[in-house]
Amino acid sequence: MKKLVVLTGAGMSAESGLKTFREMGGLWETHDVYEVASPTGWARDRSMVLRFYNERRKQLLETSPNTGHMGLVELEKKYEVRIITQNVDDLHERAGSSNILHLHGELRKARSTSDPGLIYDLESWELKEGDLCEKGSQLRPDVVWFGEAVPAIEEAAEIVSIAGIFVIIGTSLNVYPAAGLINYVPEGVPVFVIDPNEVPIPGNSQVKVIPEKAGMGVRKLIEALENE
Ligand code: APR
């Protein structure tokens, strides 16, 4: 089966009601997201960082996958679909996608601050001061903060380098190293971009733009692939 690799961003979850980063204008309440979602933010005001993620986790429990997520599951009938997402939500999982790589971590997981190998599923929406790992250290969101390494980037580049079709959905390609994955698409592999807004794509890969929101865009992608 041909490998269909999909890079998704916040726009993938927009129709599920989750705001994109750029829509938030990079702000949460009065705080700069780049400050809150960072090691310095954690060092300065850990309870504020925990509250930021608790509110997003709580909102996530009230949302569900949209038709865009479901369309990617449908594509698994004809392709080996590999999803690489910048999103920390679990909507691809809940839609039923079978192969997902989270570049920026997962909102519904917590990690030990003393041993990053200790990762726990969060049953409830709340992660509090005093919630400790088995070694007695404070738990933090298992999310990649600004300024931190992206451990899964090599694996993601590997996946993109064997793609037969590459699809970009709902990302402004503003943040590296995720945005750099486009450079690993093999020569001649068709690239589709699904986004209601213009997204500048670096390099000279021939790109087919589907100027739609994710739900309608994936529907049109399925039709376009049927006619290939
Ligand atoms: N369907 C598809 N795309 C949409 C929709 C929609 N309904 N609504 C908005 N978009 C597009 C926007 O046009 C934009 O190109 O989704 C993209 C969202 O871009 P960003 O808000 O920059 O989100 P993203 O690219 O995922 O951000 C990357 O930056 O903030 C950090 O770590 C965070 O993972 C995040 C990373």
Side-chain angles (χ1 to χ4, degrees):
M1 262 182 168
K2 190 178 271 193
K3 285 182 178 57
L4 187 141
V5 178
V6 192
L7 173 64
T8 66
M12 184 79 228
S13 302
E15 287 156 280
S16 297
L18 296 179
K19 273 195 178 312
T20 68
F21 282 86
R22 271 70 201 170
E23 270 166 350
M24 296 196 299
L27 286 180
W28 167 66
E29 293 177 355
T30 56
H31 308 291
D32 176 341
V33 169
Y34 290 83
E35 278 306 301
V36 175
S38 71
T40 44
W42 179 256
R44 190 172 41 245
D45 186 347
R46 158 183 310 196
S47 60
M48 176 185 67
V49 176
L50 288 169
R51 191 160 55 80
F52 171 67
Y53 287 99
N54 286 343
E55 288 184 12
R56 293 177 63 203
R57 208 172 288 117
K58 199 172 181 187
Q59 188 195 15
L60 179 56
L61 294 179
E62 290 145 18
T63 60
S64 45
N66 61 59
T67 49
H69 295 103
M70 307 316 282
L72 294 179
V73 178
E74 190 183 323
L75 279 166
E76 293 193 9
K77 291 181 196 139
K78 283 184 62 183
Y79 299 93
E80 185 188 333
V81 180
R82 310 288 299 269
I83 293 178
I84 300 168
T85 187
Q86 299 171 84
N87 299 336
V88 292
D89 64 53
D90 62 346
L91 296 175
H92 282 302
E93 285 84 353
R94 282 157 57 192
S97 285
S98 38
N99 201 305
I100 305 159
L101 180 63
H102 282 272
L103 279 180
H104 295 162
E106 296 181 65
L107 200 49
R108 301 194 63 180
K109 290 195 170 138
R111 188 169 85 217
S112 163
T113 46
S114 64
D115 175 353
L118 293 178
I119 294 174
Y120 305 85
D121 288 326
L122 285 172
E123 293 316 316
S124 97
W125 59 272
E126 202 173 12
L127 180 59
K128 302 185 301 300
E129 295 251 25
D131 288 348
L132 308 179
C133 74
E134 58 211 69
K135 293 184 175 173
S137 307
Q138 173 66 43
L139 289 174
R140 58 163 274 185
D142 186 28
V143 168
V144 176
W145 285 335
F146 293 107
E148 292 186 319
V150 178
I153 195 66
E154 282 82 18
E155 185 183 354
E158 271 297 304
I159 294 169
V160 175
S161 69
I162 55 171
I165 301 169
F166 188 61
V167 186
I168 298 169
I169 309 176
T171 174
S172 60
L173 293 178
N174 271 329
V175 169
Y176 285 79
L181 287 170
I182 182 90
N183 301 316
Y184 291 87
V185 178
E187 193 61 40
V189 165
V191 176
F192 292 85
V193 177
I194 298 173
D195 196 308
N197 302 305
E198 172 103 21
V199 178
I201 303 289
N204 55 4
S205 41
Q206 90 271 28
V207 174
K208 297 184 178 98
V209 175
I210 301 176
E212 299 284 358
K213 294 183 175 180
M216 176 55 77
V218 172
R219 185 54 44 208
K220 290 194 171 178
L221 171 72
I222 291 170
E223 286 160 18
L225 293 175
E226 273 158 5
N227 301 329
E228 283 241 311

